[in-house]
Amino acid sequence: MLTKTESQERVFRLQVMLRSKDIHAALFIMPIDVYYFAGTRQNAILWIPAEGEPLLLVRKSLSRAMDESPIAAIRPFPSSKEFASVFSEDLSTIGMTFDAIPVQQHLFYSRALPGRTFVDISMMLRELRSVKSPFELEQLRLSAGKLASVFAEVPQFLKAGMRELDLSAEMEYRLRKAGHEGYVRMRAFNQELFFGLAVSSGGLNGGFFDGPVTGKGLSSASPHGASCDEIRVNQPILLDFGGVFNGYISDMTRMFVIGTLDAELQRAFDVAIEIQELVRRGMKPGAICEELFFAAAAMAEKAGLGSCFMGMPGEQAKFVGHGVGLELDELPVLAKGFTMPLQAGQVIAVEPKFVIPGKGVIGIENTFAVTDDGGLRLSDLPDDIVFLGA
């Protein structure tokens, strides 16, 4: 549960940023943004003035919000007639997260608060949230540890002949038993994810998901993740799952093989491990995001694997690492065009992967925190491919 001190520190950091941009207040309506500051995911909006105390207005459930949130001022959501009177007219420039709110909602609040100017604070919020507090780092460490414990059970149930779907279901079952909350929240429009990926031959399918491996999925309506294809011997099996515990998401990929692995795939895996270490060493405050991506891509190219790095040839993802926290796709992103420097406390899932046509998918992923000594890994599960007898 979010403490009063933690909430106040987050609010204070935002208020400093608002004042630096001459923005009078922020109005948050996206549930995960409200949760970040207020510690409750009830149906509510959160008003944070650049000076003064926040106000949480709750549609449902007011009683639960009052039990969960450390925000001092919590009230029922007012009627339309009363809404404008709740907010000082002097606070005329209001920040909202245009990256995530529907146009309909923007229009509603524009009408409800006439005479105000609404400005975009999406990047401001995302940059603020990208730097994790010690409390958040501990939540992510716990998440990664629980996720790793389920990955360690895979040799107990992975068998040749089972479907990708069966393997995925076994992972999902064990994750839920461990306390996985089910929601793998993503901010990007038109992206969605159910738990994660369990793919073998199905991993060679392209798809909409903005990642290196998509999976065939179960239908054209759900073209992502595990399929009904059977897992066969001597094929790489990729498991990529998010752990979601107390709201915080860790991300991990491990490889399994029943039998033996093609030599080219083994070499690609070895290169993925080298890329992960290159990026990990470079994850220090001040390092430029895109430079880490360029270094990773150059290593893949030098190994003769550039065309299949981070996805199918022609459909490659344009990153090698992405921020994680309360959402799977947070800042920073290790990608071309992201010239921001890393900051201590940011947490990044590094996932160098290859999709080799006709052979399979291969790679690794771990979640790291940015420190002065490079990336600090948040789980201790070995990276090695796990080979099982046929």
Side-chain angles (χ1 to χ4, degrees), residues 101-115:
I101 63 172
V103 172
Q104 179 197 40
Q105 290 295 305
H106 177 245
L107 293 174
F108 171 83
Y109 288 103
S110 297
R111 291 193 296 266
L113 295 171

Side-chain angles (χ1 to χ4, degrees), residues 238 253 255 264-280 296 299-300 303 305 308-310 320 350-355 361-366 368 383 385:
L238 180 143
T253 295
M255 299 301 308
E264 184 178 359
L265 288 166
Q266 179 66 61
R267 187 176 73 86
F269 179 79
D270 295 340
V271 173
I273 294 295
E274 292 174 4
I275 291 173
Q276 177 185 242
E277 179 58 16
L278 173 77
V279 174
R280 186 203 68 77
M299 183 175 282
L305 296 166
C308 53
F309 179 54
M310 298 303 292
V320 73
V350 179
E351 55 170 326
K353 293 170 182 170
F354 298 94
V355 180
V361 295
I362 201 87
I364 191 70
E365 182 175 20
N366 284 290
F368 299 90
D383 288 342
I385 298 173

Side-chain angles (χ1 to χ4, degrees), residues 243-376:
V244 189
F245 301 90
N246 200 25
Y248 283 89
I249 303 171
S250 57
D251 204 358
M252 184 179 296
T253 295
R254 289 296 183 272
M255 299 301 308
F256 300 84
V257 179
I258 302 170
T260 61
L261 184 63
D262 177 89
E264 184 178 359
L265 288 166
Q266 179 66 61
R267 187 176 73 86
F269 179 79
D270 295 340
V271 173
I273 294 295
E274 292 174 4
I275 291 173
Q276 177 185 242
E277 179 58 16
L278 173 77
V279 174
R280 186 203 68 77
R281 290 197 308 267
M283 288 175 58
K284 299 178 181 180
I288 303 302
C289 291
E290 72 170 4
E291 292 179 3
L292 292 175
F293 170 74
F294 290 149
M299 183 175 282
E301 189 67 34
K302 184 178 180 180
L305 296 166
S307 65
C308 53
F309 179 54
M310 298 303 292
M312 296 183 63
E315 295 190 7
Q316 293 152 290
K318 305 301 183 183
F319 65 90
V320 73
H322 57 91
V324 292
L326 292 171
E327 293 170 312
L328 185 67
D329 53 348
E330 296 196 357
L331 295 182
V333 184
L334 305 184
K336 181 181 178 180
F338 281 80
T339 58
M340 63 182 65
L342 295 182
Q343 300 179 61
Q346 291 177 325
V347 177
I348 303 171
V350 179
E351 55 170 326
K353 293 170 182 170
F354 298 94
V355 180
I356 301 178
K359 296 206 171 186
V361 295
I362 201 87
I364 191 70
E365 182 175 20
N366 284 290
T367 302
F368 299 90
V370 176
T371 76
D372 291 336
D373 298 319
L376 173 65

Side-chain angles (χ1 to χ4, degrees), residues 168-227:
S168 185
E170 291 285 353
M171 285 291 293
E172 295 158 19
Y173 167 74
R174 285 166 171 78
L175 283 167
R176 285 293 279 168
K177 290 277 283 185
H180 190 294
E181 293 167 359
Y183 302 103
V184 184
R185 292 185 170 98
M186 298 185 68
R187 198 166 192 89
F189 177 72
N190 201 28
Q191 295 294 300
E192 55 192 5
L193 176 66
F194 183 75
F195 273 89
L197 301 170
V199 298
S200 185
S201 62
L204 291 170
N205 290 80
F208 75 93
F209 188 72
D210 188 18
V213 180
T214 294
K216 183 188 295 185
L218 296 173
S219 73
S220 57
S222 183
H224 181 241
S227 71

Side-chain angles (χ1 to χ4, degrees), residues 4 30 48 97 111 146 172 229 261:
K4 183 176 181 180
M30 291 297 293
I48 301 181
T97 54
R111 291 193 296 266
K146 289 186 177 182
E172 295 158 19
D229 291 354
L261 184 63

Side-chain angles (χ1 to χ4, degrees), residues 13 33 66 163 165 199 238 243 298 301 317 327 360:
R13 288 171 59 206
D33 296 339
M66 296 181 73
R163 302 174 300 172
L165 180 61
V199 298
L238 180 143
E301 189 67 34
E327 293 170 312

